[in-house]
């Protein structure tokens, strides 16, 4: 689904002015993929701006106070102060994807940055308080229900069900739902939480209809950010969703810099992901998915309160944002 730029005039008749108001222009929706670029009249044309920001405008924005100087880079942000976090975030925001490396290449570096900037004692305090505030969350953590899916157990699931979709996924060579959780013992509450969220990631792609493509990753990430912000206290929600926010925020800037043709679809994915995160009636990582293997995917989404995404319709965005 592409983003449409609509105006008040389009809601009435194109080009018709509102009573007592000026005429409002109408705008067609951009084609996807875009039309070819129109070249400059001459390759020697100088189209550079004649000047940057005037000093008076810069002073208006920055004020007259200069930042404190130091022999090393320092700030009041632990994230900016951390060289791994700083470099990983900048790299993922500014890079182009290439065929030489997987699009997920920066994820292990991102995880290391999180580990170096997270106060895990504080995390456990926050989780302990949240277990009291939300008894269902506490019961889920204390149960340590480590159910998993086995391909052979899903072979007889009917078409259109979660079980059938998982069976197809597990038959794809190289696919592994446990790649990030197999060596996580889940001893602490935060370890267990991360273990289960990692295990459910590909399942969430299937259930939500936000397929594992560039736009689908954006939609699923921001859906998780949104649901965490709704259900959990702000400080804990930030810690729980920082990986998803990292994917969402770096992705939107990278797409805007290098893959302009995909940006309308990317923004539509963000929009749909936020809508789903606002609508879902419980945190997805707490759903006992093994009880839903015989359910139709549309029925699961309806039961959980959200509208599924477009599935394979966004698959073109992966190759289109590579290279």
């Amino acid at each position: 689904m592409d983003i449409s730029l609509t105006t008040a005039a389009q809601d009435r008749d194109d080009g018709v002015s509102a009573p007592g108001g000026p005429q409002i222009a109408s705008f067609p929706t951009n084609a996807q993929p875009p039309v070819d670029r129109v070249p400059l009249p001459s390759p020697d044309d100088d189209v550079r701006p004649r000047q940057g920001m005037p000093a008076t405008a810069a002073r208006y924005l920055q004020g007259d106070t200069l930042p404190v100087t130091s022999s090393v880079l320092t700030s009041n942000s632990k994230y900016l102060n951390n060289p791994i976090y700083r470099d990983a975030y900048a790299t993922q925001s500014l890079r182009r994807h290439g065929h030489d490396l997987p699009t997920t290449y920066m994820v292990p570096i991102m995880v290391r940055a999180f580990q170096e900037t997270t106060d895990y004692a504080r995390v456990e305090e926050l989780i302990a308080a949240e277990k009291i505030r939300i008894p269902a969350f506490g019961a889920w953590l204390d149960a340590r229900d480590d159910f998993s899916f086995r391909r052979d157990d899903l072979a007889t699931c009917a078409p259109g069900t979660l079980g059938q979709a998982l069976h197809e996924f597990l038959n794809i060579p190289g696919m592994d739902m446990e790649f990030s959780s197999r060596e996580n013992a889940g001893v602490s509450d935060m370890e267990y939480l991360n273990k289960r969220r990692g295990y459910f990631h590909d399942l969430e792609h299937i259930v939500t209809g936000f397929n594992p493509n560039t736009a689908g990753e954006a939609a699923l990430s921001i859906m998780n950010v949104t649901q965490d912000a709704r259900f959990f206290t702000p400080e804990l929600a930030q810690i729980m969703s920082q990986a998803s926010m990292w994917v969402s925020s770096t992705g939107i800037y990278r797409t805007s810099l290098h893959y302009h043709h995909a940006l309308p679809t990317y923004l539509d994915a963000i929009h749909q992901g936020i809508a789903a995160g606002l609508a879902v009636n419980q945190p997805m990582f707490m759903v006992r998915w093994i009880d839903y293997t015989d359910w139709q995917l549309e029925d699961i989404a309806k039961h959980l309160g959200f509208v599924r995404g477009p599935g394979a319709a966004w698959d073109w965005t992966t190759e289109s944002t590579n290279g």
Side-chain angles (χ1 to χ4, degrees), residues 207-257:
V207 171
T208 61
F210 299 140
N211 281 21
N213 51 56
T214 295
E217 291 288 357
L220 181 58
S221 295
I222 203 67
M223 179 182 180
N224 276 305
V225 171
T226 305
Q227 73 159 22
D228 290 350
R230 284 179 58 218
F231 294 125
F232 300 99
T233 51
E235 188 178 356
L236 180 59
Q238 181 273 320
I239 296 166
M240 291 170 60
S241 64
Q242 61 179 335
S244 294
M245 181 57 80
W246 192 85
V247 170
S248 299
S249 57
T250 59
I252 194 170
Y253 196 63
R254 182 179 62 254
T255 302
S256 71
L257 289 178

Side-chain angles (χ1 to χ4, degrees), residues 23 92 127 135 140 155 167 239 247 271 277:
Q23 182 168 328
Q92 189 68 1
I127 291 177
W140 177 80
H167 185 261
I239 296 166
V247 170
H271 172 77

Side-chain angles (χ1 to χ4, degrees), residues 59-97:
R59 189 163 56 251
Y60 175 79
L61 295 172
Q62 294 181 323
D64 296 321
T65 303
L66 295 175
V68 175
T69 59
S70 172
S71 59
V72 296
L73 178 61
T74 184
S75 77
N76 59 358
S77 166
K78 63 181 180 181
Y79 309 106
L80 183 58
N81 290 341
N82 184 279
I84 296 175
Y85 206 119
R86 191 169 63 238
D87 181 72
Y89 193 87
T91 298
Q92 189 68 1
S93 297
L94 303 177
R95 66 177 289 208
R96 296 180 70 98
H97 281 150

Side-chain angles (χ1 to χ4, degrees), residues 6 12 16 53 57 93 147 253 262:
T6 58
R12 298 182 300 275
V16 177
M53 179 176 287
S93 297
F147 65 84
Y253 196 63

Side-chain angles (χ1 to χ4, degrees), residues 14 18 29 32 55 61 64 85 107 114 137 140 145 159 186 190 192 199 203 209 218 234 244 262 269 289 315:
D14 285 350
T29 302
Q32 295 281 335
L61 295 172
D64 296 321
Y85 206 119
V107 171
F114 293 163
F137 179 57
W140 177 80
D145 188 359
M190 189 62 184
Y192 177 73
Y199 183 73
L203 181 149
S244 294
W289 295 111
D315 282 356

